[in-house]
């Protein structure tokens, strides 16, 4: 039996399971750091895009439009193959965190903006009339209310983010997809490698996806 | 230096890559709308088995990176480079669109179904003529942003050596490798992706505003 | 364009053959002697071959004419002639180190003639013909790096292609010399070249034949050659009859001196 799922290919995979284990850990680590970065960028640019300060608004628009309308692969290639020509050679793991974080930061920024804009204008005006400044109004009045609307799409962004760390495979990044791809292309046992990799990604993403589902249900009940 | 890069044969080489990108993107979008709508309706249906089956498909596909499907379809089926890209991306995108369609159907109140029923319309007629058109309007922005994602994500097929726009830019970079040429290439390719995506995303906003008024 | 036309013509031809076979029923006995997989190629009227498109002299797509040409293309043509009686009945498809194995498995191509090194591990998955060429692994570095030999690469990064035998071979040599190297794997050669240009890797290492295609005024090919590799024509493991036929063809080319003529035609040693 020499089919793509031949038993000896599975045996080889089980014997070298650490290749996949290490890859999954790296994907997990890159995902968590990228998520933290994207949340920070998303809240910052999301708030900026609703401010009355024109420059802040413009910067936020440029960031969102540019990042959302160009492929992640191109952005990652730019950090990897482009920046070194300017003397800036970031390590590949940092590129994963930075590239994926910046990419999803733009999407989260839009989620945050929509959340803020869903809160009626009167609330903001009422807060100002009470003497609160812009940051205080956001922090104490608007963002806590926007949270309910923002959380479900945020959880969905987290799922996309974990999946998109697989772009690291295209720059020899050492993540799960790279390990699977490299391992299977060396010995050509790609059948078992892909199935195992799929299951590992499901294990990383399904909990986040069901969190998103629950948050959505909650939001619907409140609405 | 720049002149070297902007030779007719290089531009032609990139445009052929763009043609591959667009072929894959357009075919994926069309096929995914069809399959995704059917899956979404099945997911929303009251038939438990049907709903569960489509649910399993949607969840198990949506939670795995599309790149994995690109590798698997390319290396484990007899399809050629472009077709295998389309199939892989359609497997993935249909699941995403099914979720969007399901959410759209959920957004239409139960009252609409009941009202249609009281008027003597059957289930299918109600779905096709009453519920779907309204749902479609609600989900247009989500659909358009998914289309943009499809156009961008075609660049993942370069991982299996399919020479679409991104891949061809990298190939050119191997020959035109001084900093000015490298950055010009990045800028050019980013612009090629940016312009249609920007227009598409703003058309959606514009349409949305028209509906609201 | 021409490729498509050939396929179309071949498809028409095979339809006619099949139709006439059905109505007449006289050609069937002769065909029955052939193994089914070779018969399938005959019915199709064209041999589907995976070749390189970016390795000058072996398999290279001329950007002007759009034609794939080279030593391995000529060998593929000889095999097509053996099976189909016409050396032009080949459908060439570009493959990379990474795609050639899977495409053979999934039936998109019948044979691979693409600087495919014969190894024991690969023999488990595919049938290989006897070798038709021997090539060493080479090292391509930036001129400005001042690297002159493998020893100078101690502690540096080597860019290699996925699915290539390079990593293992260079690692063994490094162990012998007592130096440490790290490897980064890429899916395509242009990416490794770009990584070399960007300083992501210090050395681009694959079979020497391939490196010649990437040599430019900023890079140089070191004189070191490692672990001579032999190239063979690969076919599907289950397809024993085709493998034998390929091997017979290769040995014929060797014994009648044809292979040496081809080598000198392409300027290969």
């Amino acid at each position: 039996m020499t089919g793509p799922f031949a038993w000896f290919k599975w045996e080889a995979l089980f014997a070298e399971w650490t290749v996949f284990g290490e890859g999954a850990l790296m994907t997990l680590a890159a995902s968590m750091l990228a998520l933290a970065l994207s949340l920070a960028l998303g809240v910052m640019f999301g708030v900026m895009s609703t401010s009355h300060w024109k420059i802040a608004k413009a910067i936020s628009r440029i960031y969102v439009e540019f990042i959302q309308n160009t492929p992640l692969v191109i952005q990652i290639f730019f950090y990897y193959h482009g920046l070194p020509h300017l003397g800036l050679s970031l390590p590949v793991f940092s590129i994963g965190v930075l590239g994926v974080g910046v990419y999803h930061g733009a999407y989260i920024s839009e989620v945050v903006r929509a959340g803020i804009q869903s809160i009626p204008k009167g609330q903001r005006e009422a807060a100002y009339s009470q003497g609160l400044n812009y940051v205080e109004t956001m922090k104490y009045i608007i963002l806590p209310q926007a949270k309910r609307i923002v959380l479900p799409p945020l959880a969905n962004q987290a799922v996309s983010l974990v999946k998109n760390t697989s772009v690291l495979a295209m720059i020899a990044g050492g993540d799960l997809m790279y390990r699977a791809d490299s391992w299977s292309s060396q010995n050509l046992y790609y059948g078992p490698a892909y199935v195992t990799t799929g299951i590992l990604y499901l294990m990383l993403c399904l909990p986040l996806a069901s969190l998103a589902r629950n948050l959505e249900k909650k939001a619907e009940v409140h609405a | 230096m720049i002149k070297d890069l902007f030779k007719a044969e290089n531009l032609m080489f990139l445009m052929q890559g763009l043609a591959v990108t667009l072929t894959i993107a357009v075919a994926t979008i069309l096929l995914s709308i069809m399959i995704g709508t059917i899956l979404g309706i099945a997911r929303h249906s009251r038939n438990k088995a049907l709903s569960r089956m489509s649910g399993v498909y949607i969840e198990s596909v949506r939670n795995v990176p599309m790149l994995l499907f690109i590798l698997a379809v390319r290396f484990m089926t007899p399809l050629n480079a472009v077709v295998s890209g389309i199939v892989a991306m359609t497997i993935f995108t249909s699941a995403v669109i099914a979720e969007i369609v399901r959410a759209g159907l959920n957004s239409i109140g139960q009252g609409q179904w009941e009202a249609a029923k009281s008027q003597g319309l059957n289930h299918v007629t109600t779905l096709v003529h009453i519920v779907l058109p309204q749902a479609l309007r609600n989900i247009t922005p989500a659909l358009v942003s998914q289309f943009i994602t499809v156009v961008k994500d075609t660049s993942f097929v370069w991982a299996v050596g399919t020479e679409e726009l991104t891949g061809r830019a990298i190939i050119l970079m191997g020959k035109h490798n001084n900093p000015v040429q490298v950055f010009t290439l990045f800028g050019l390719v980013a612009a090629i992706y940016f312009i249609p995506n920007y227009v598409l995303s703003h058309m959606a906003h514009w349409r949305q505003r028209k509906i609201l008024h | 364009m021409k490729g498509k036309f050939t396929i179309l013509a071949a498809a028409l031809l095979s339809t006619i053959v099949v139709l006439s076979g059905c109505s007449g029923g006289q050609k069937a006995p002769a065909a029955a002697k052939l193994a089914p997989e070779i018969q399938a190629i005959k019915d199709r009227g064209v041999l589907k071959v995976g070749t390189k498109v970016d390795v000058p002299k072996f398999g290279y797509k001329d950007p002007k004419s759009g034609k794939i040409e080279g030593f391995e293309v000529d060998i593929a043509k000889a095999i097509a002639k053996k099976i189909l009686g016409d050396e032009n009945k080949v459908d060439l498809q570009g493959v990379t180190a990474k795609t050639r194995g899977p495409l053979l498995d999934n039936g998109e191509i019948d044979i691979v003639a693409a600087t495919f090194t014969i190894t024991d591990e690969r023999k488990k998955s595919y049938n290989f013909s006897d070798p038709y060429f021997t090539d060493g692994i080479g090292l391509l570095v930036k001129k400005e790096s001042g690297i002159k030999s493998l020893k100078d690469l101690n502690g540096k990064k080597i860019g290699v292609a996925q699915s290539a035998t390079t990593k293992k071979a260079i690692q063994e040599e490094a162990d012998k010399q007592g130096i440490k190297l790290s490897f980064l794997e890429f899916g395509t050669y242009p990416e490794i070249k770009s990584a070399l240009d960007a300083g992501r890797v210090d050395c681009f290492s694959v079979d020497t034949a391939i490196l010649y295609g990437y040599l430019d005024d900023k890079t140089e090919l070191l004189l070191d050659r490692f672990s001579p590799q032999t190239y063979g024509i690969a076919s599907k493991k289950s397809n024993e009859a085709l493998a034998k036929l390929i091997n017979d063809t290769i040995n014929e080319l060797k014994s009648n001196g044809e292979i040496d003529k081809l080598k000198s035609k392409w300027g290969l040693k």
Side-chain angles (χ1 to χ4, degrees), chain B residues 84-100:
Chain B
S84 82
I86 294 170
V87 170
M89 289 191 68
T90 300
I91 290 173
F92 181 82
T93 310
S94 314
V96 178
I97 288 186
E99 260 306 282
I100 296 173

Side-chain angles (χ1 to χ4, degrees), chain B residues 8 11 63 65 69 73 109 112 117 122 141 154 160-161 164-165 198 212:
Chain B
L11 294 179
N63 289 301
F69 297 107
V73 176
Q112 299 263 352
K117 204 174 176 187
N122 66 26
T154 48
V160 291
E164 41 60 75
L165 183 58
Y198 183 80
L212 290 176

Side-chain angles (χ1 to χ4, degrees), chain C residues 133-170:
Chain C
F133 192 78
T134 306
D135 191 16
I137 290 173
L139 307 168
L140 187 75
V141 298
K142 275 190 180 174
K143 277 182 188 162
E144 61 182 38
S145 71
I147 293 165
K148 292 289 167 218
S149 70
L150 185 67
K151 254 208 157 66
D152 295 341
L153 283 163
N154 194 5
K156 308 251 172 172
K157 293 185 196 122
I158 316 282
V160 297
Q162 283 178 345
S163 308
T165 46
T166 327
K167 185 175 158 184
K168 211 172 148 195
I170 295 278

